[in-house]
Amino acid sequence: MRWPFISRIIGILLVFMGLAMTAPLACSFYFKDMADGGITESIAITMAAGLVLIILSRKFDEDAYINQKEGMTVVALGWTAIGLFGALPFYLSPEFTNFTDAFFESVSGFTTTGSSVMIHIEAAAPSLLFWRSFIQWLGGMGIIVLSLAILPFLGVGGIQLYKAEVPSPVPDKLTPRLSDSAKILWMVYAGMTLIEIIFLLAGGMPLFESICHALTTLPTGGFSPKNASVGHYNSAYFEYVIVVFMLLAGINFSLHYQMLRGKSLAFWRDTECRFFIGLVFICTLVITWDIYGSVYDSLKDAFRYSLFQVASIITTTGFATADYERFPGLSQIILFACMFIGASAGSTGGGMKCARIIICFKYCYKELFKLIHPRSISHVKINNIVIPNHVLQSIMGFLALYMLLFLVSTILLAAMGVDMLTALGAVASCIGNIGPGFGTVGPAENFAHLPVLGKWLLAWCMLLGRLEIYTVIILFVPEFWKK
């Protein structure tokens, strides 16, 4: 393990983070919200820490190939460092009284979870709200991938970083050069963000609020500058626009690239995309039927609120227009299940990912088929491609580990005095990077009242979910540190 090399990359990331903080600083100057002092201090501390790490790691073998251990270590430690230093603008603002809450908000932002401890959101400084949205946008496609796109002077091959960072069972390189792939992903990502801003502005949403909502829709983050989230506007137009972009963000971004290159049937030909859209459609219809008459008297309203909650939760965005805890039990169970399923692999969404769910179902069917026909030879395929055994084993291990960590974290949170429903909802929400949960952390509440240790536990769950479990949990395996 080359610690000078790891230190250098984390230092570069912190320098980049310090530069990114100039965006809320400019926002503070524009709105004259008096928050520039805390942001300036945050920039100075973050830049200084980054430069120190770079200076201390000047001597390392630039020609050596980065191995898988180093790639995972960089990603896990890099995201932790970003969460810590990204908390400074929150901690140095009057809205936060302790570092635990600031760190929770920061990690929730960078991991695009959207769980919040802020109580009076609309009373906060505009620059702080912008930083809150901006870090979700940075975290959406992955700040490590961004660094590969615009900081090619790292001097080493970066495929291990890409594999550890991109939220997909099998990373899909779009071009032979890794930096080109990252640039393509970010161009699509930024372009879709700009288009959403234009659509929201066209509907009459103020510019600042349009930017904040677009910055948190495409990364499927869910932070809103309004206490009531998107429900504040009570506008069907805004809701349908945001639903469209949430669903686009929940689809594999390589398919968007294929569409731009003229492959008009790219979405339809992809098994996972068909499964994802079909699941949204079915869940929406069932919940619409369930809440029509019992919660909403109008079929149009029942469909509208059903579609938004389903799209928001299955894409793990976390915006809210209704308190789904008022829905009947069937609807709540469906939404709870959507928290685990998540969006498509290769999207900015969280959860287990639809690709893994499809492969799991096909694998189970294959095992049942072999019981009936023990001498048969069958394979698990997706998009007519045979899934290798080592990928199957990795996916089965991931799903088992995901549920085990969910169970253990829920027990730990309940041991801290949190009621069972809240513990289940909070852990499912954080490990799936969703935002609101159930119980006292539902869409009408937040996470501010949870115990301090509970917030640190949930922040760890957010990192686990964002980095696909393995990248974080592997650091706790003793064999990982042996030569």
Side-chain angles (χ1 to χ4, degrees), residues 124-350:
S127 57
L128 191 68
L129 295 179
F130 178 79
W131 176 243
R132 193 168 171 259
S133 300
F134 190 48
I135 60 177
Q136 289 205 320
W137 194 79
L138 290 176
M141 190 63 69
I143 204 163
I144 309 293
V145 175
L146 175 65
S147 70
L148 293 174
I150 67 172
L151 298 176
F153 55 83
L154 287 179
V156 292
I159 187 63
Q160 276 72 21
L161 295 181
Y162 184 76
K163 287 171 70 175
E165 170 63 24
V166 174
S168 170
V170 182
D172 185 6
K173 282 186 65 180
L174 304 178
T175 67
R177 291 186 59 193
L178 183 60
S179 61
D180 290 341
S181 291
K183 288 175 184 176
I184 288 169
L185 289 172
W186 273 91
M187 286 173 63
V188 173
Y189 186 60
M192 291 170 65
T193 304
L194 180 60
I195 293 170
E196 185 184 355
I197 292 173
I198 293 171
F199 272 97
L200 292 176
L201 283 172
M205 186 180 289
L207 177 61
F208 177 74
E209 294 168 21
S210 297
I211 292 173
C212 287
H213 281 107
L215 289 178
T216 55
T217 301
L218 269 301
T220 63
F223 276 158
S224 171
K226 298 297 182 181
N227 289 323
S229 189
V230 179
H232 168 87
Y233 302 97
N234 192 26
S235 165
Y237 173 81
F238 290 151
E239 290 170 26
Y240 283 123
V241 166
I242 291 173
V243 161
V244 169
F245 282 94
M246 284 193 295
L247 294 178
L248 288 173
I251 294 172
N252 191 324
F253 269 70
S254 66
L255 297 181
H256 297 312
Y257 176 65
Q258 291 177 34
M259 286 283 288
L260 292 174
R261 294 191 65 187
K263 297 181 180 180
S264 57
L265 297 178
F267 287 171
W268 176 251
R269 289 173 178 168
D270 185 75
T271 302
E272 183 185 28
C273 185
R274 293 199 306 270
F275 176 85
F276 171 67
I277 297 300
L279 189 61
V280 171
F281 179 72
I282 292 171
C283 291
T284 299
L285 289 183
V286 174
I287 294 178
T288 299
W289 169 79
D290 194 36
I291 64 177
Y292 175 52
S294 61
V295 181
Y296 299 101
D297 295 328
S298 165
L299 182 61
K300 182 176 67 175
D301 286 343
F303 175 79
R304 167 186 161 190
Y305 290 109
S306 170
L307 175 62
F308 193 94
Q309 303 339 297
V310 169
S312 179
I313 289 180
I314 201 168
T315 61
T316 72
T317 305
F319 284 135
T321 57
D323 184 0
Y324 51 73
E325 291 190 296
R326 293 176 50 241
F327 291 1
L330 174 62
S331 297
Q332 292 191 44
I333 287 293
I334 292 173
L335 292 175
F336 187 68
C338 287
M339 288 184 173
F340 289 89
I341 296 170
S344 301
S347 72
T348 57

Side-chain angles (χ1 to χ4, degrees), residues 17-30:
M17 183 55 49
L19 294 174
M21 289 178 185
T22 59
L25 181 62
C27 183
S28 178
F29 287 146
Y30 178 80

Side-chain angles (χ1 to χ4, degrees), residues 6-61:
I6 294 170
S7 174
R8 181 177 179 83
I9 294 185
I10 294 175
I12 292 173
L13 287 173
L14 290 181
V15 170
F16 168 76
M17 183 55 49
L19 294 174
M21 289 178 185
T22 59
L25 181 62
C27 183
S28 178
F29 287 146
Y30 178 80
F31 285 102
K32 299 178 181 178
D33 59 16
M34 307 301 291
D36 52 298
I39 298 174
T40 303
E41 290 178 28
S42 302
I43 293 173
I45 295 170
T46 305
M47 293 282 283
L51 291 173
V52 167
L53 288 175
I54 293 172
I55 292 171
L56 293 177
S57 60
R58 283 179 297 177
K59 295 181 180 181
F60 72 95
D61 186 3

